[in-house]
Each structure stands twice: as structure tokens, then as C-alpha cells.
Amino acid sequence: GAVVSQHPSRVICKSGTSVKIECRSLDFQATTMFWYRQFPKQSLMLMATSNEGSKATYEQGVEKDKFLINHASLTLSTLTVTSAHPEDSSFYICSAKDEEREWETQYFGPGTRLLVL
Amino acid sequence: GQNIDQPTEMTATEGAIVQINCTYQTSGFNGLFWYQQHAGEAPTFLSYNVLDGLEEKGRFSSFLSRSKGYSYLLLKELQMKDSASYLCAIMDSNYQLIWGAGTKLIIKP
């Protein structure tokens, strides 16, 4: 089956630093990738839709200058949390859409746990 | 290896009951999640089980048997709006999520 990887799986950083999270589709091409954030005991919250070769589309309330998204190839999207603060500590999950499937399918990555001190 | 299995697609009738099964083999276990996802939308959290047994929440119930590596999501009094994909996910020993491929549920009048 389709596999999506994320790196790193967990990261601890100091307040004010930037953190880059990678999302890769390992055995299929993904024109579209999605970035989610999940706080404990809450649902996944869509942050942005990443489109290969074009600018990402951000959901309302998500700062595009703080959460930089780059979808440079059909298998890789990156999310950079700039000038991270403790309130950015969360579980970040990406998913990739397999365009070849008959019905809309998203494959989810394992998530990246970010802790900002 | 790590593996989660759930049926690709199921069909049920409005007003009826449907059970969506999920079996898993993972390295460690820190809970099982069920999510609902309508086409074009983000997944919505439905339930979390970490202990064996049945958790009931309105029309939806989720069951877990850790010894059998098995869970099911039970939907009662089906409504047309329940047509969606249902995702099973396991949090493993490293607190990483392992996702099932999802079950597309089609509700017919």
C-alpha cells in the first residue's frame, strides 16, 4: 500500500528557533499534500493544502509567514515552523493524495511531535 | 512489520446498523483512534480506545480487544450524512500514528 513518511518523528527546540518537517510519499506521486495539526484530545485541524509547483493554500487563522510550506517535487513537501514558541508545541501530521485512485484517498504520515521549550 | 487492515468499502441502508472492523499488528500500542472523513474535508475525531471494552458515544460506539489486535466502530440509526470514510489509526510505542487505508461507507436510502 501507499506509504507516507515524515521526518523527524519528534523534535525539541528552543523558543525562537525554526523547525523544518519533511513529508514524503514513498511509492506514489502526490500533486497535493495536506498539513494538519492536532492538540491533545482534539481533532485534526487542517492547516494548509500544499500543491506541487505553486503556493500553498492556508486555512483561515493559520499564519502563512509563520508556517512556511514548500512543495518542490511530487514526492516531498516541507513545513517550516519559524520562530517557534511554546504554543506551537503540537502533533503535526501530513497526508498525501494519491491522484491515481478512483476515489479520493489520502494517506497519512506517522506525525511529528514538536515540543518548544 | 506493522499493519492495519480495514475493509475498503461498505454499503448500508439508512436507519440500519453497520460495524466497521479494524485489525492491527503494531510495535507497541498506545491507543486506537477512529476518525470520520467526508470527501474534501479534514478527518474528524470520533473515538479513542486504550483499554479493552466498548466506548459508547451517542450513535457511535467503538470496541477494542488488545489481545486480539481488533477494534470495531459501530454506527447505529444510520443517516445519509454518515456517508464518509472511516479511518482506524494506532499510536505505537514511539507515539507515532499508523494509519489504516480507511473504509468508505456508502449509505443508501
Side-chain angles (χ1 to χ4, degrees), chain B residues 7-48:
Chain B
T8 302
E9 186 173 300
M10 299 182 70
T11 303
T13 305
E14 189 177 15
I17 299 173
V18 71
Q19 177 174 310
I20 303 174
N21 295 325
C22 173
T23 58
Y24 63 89
Q25 289 180 311
T26 58
S27 57
F29 181 84
N30 277 300
L32 183 146
F33 298 80
W34 281 99
Y35 285 89
Q36 179 193 61
Q37 185 177 27
H38 287 99
E41 298 180 11
T44 303
F45 170 80
L46 290 178
S47 66
Y48 172 70

Side-chain angles (χ1 to χ4, degrees), chain A residues 10 38 43 104 106 109-111, chain B residues 35 37 40 45 94 96-97 99:
Chain A
R10 60 183 67 192
Q38 184 177 36
S43 186
E104 185 172 311
Q106 288 185 42
Chain B
Y35 285 89
Q37 185 177 27
F45 170 80
N94 294 317
Q96 293 290 288
L97 283 174
W99 295 86

Side-chain angles (χ1 to χ4, degrees), chain B:
Chain B
Q2 310 208 96
N3 191 50
I4 296 182
D5 286 317
Q6 49 182 131
T8 302
E9 186 173 300
M10 299 182 70
T11 303
T13 305
E14 189 177 15
I17 299 173
V18 71
Q19 177 174 310
I20 303 174
N21 295 325
C22 173
T23 58
Y24 63 89
Q25 289 180 311
T26 58
S27 57
F29 181 84
N30 277 300
L32 183 146
F33 298 80
W34 281 99
Y35 285 89
Q36 179 193 61
Q37 185 177 27
H38 287 99
E41 298 180 11
T44 303
F45 170 80
L46 290 178
S47 66
Y48 172 70
N49 294 66
V50 67
L51 299 176
D52 290 351
L54 186 68
E55 296 276 345
E56 296 186 77
K57 194 183 294 184
R59 294 190 297 115
F60 294 3
S61 302
S62 57
F63 172 84
L64 174 67
S65 169
R66 288 171 297 171
S67 62
K68 295 181 179 179
Y70 168 69
S71 172
Y72 67 72
L73 179 69
L74 190 71
L75 292 76
K76 303 176 184 177
E77 301 170 15
L78 286 170
Q79 301 175 9
M80 297 304 293
K81 66 178 182 180
D82 296 330
S83 292
S85 288
Y86 292 85
L87 302 161
C88 171
I90 306 294
M91 186 159 280
D92 68 10
S93 56
N94 294 317
Y95 293 94
Q96 293 290 288
L97 283 174
I98 305 165
W99 295 86
T103 298
K104 184 179 182 183
L105 177 63
I106 300 168
I107 310 296
K108 295 185 175 180

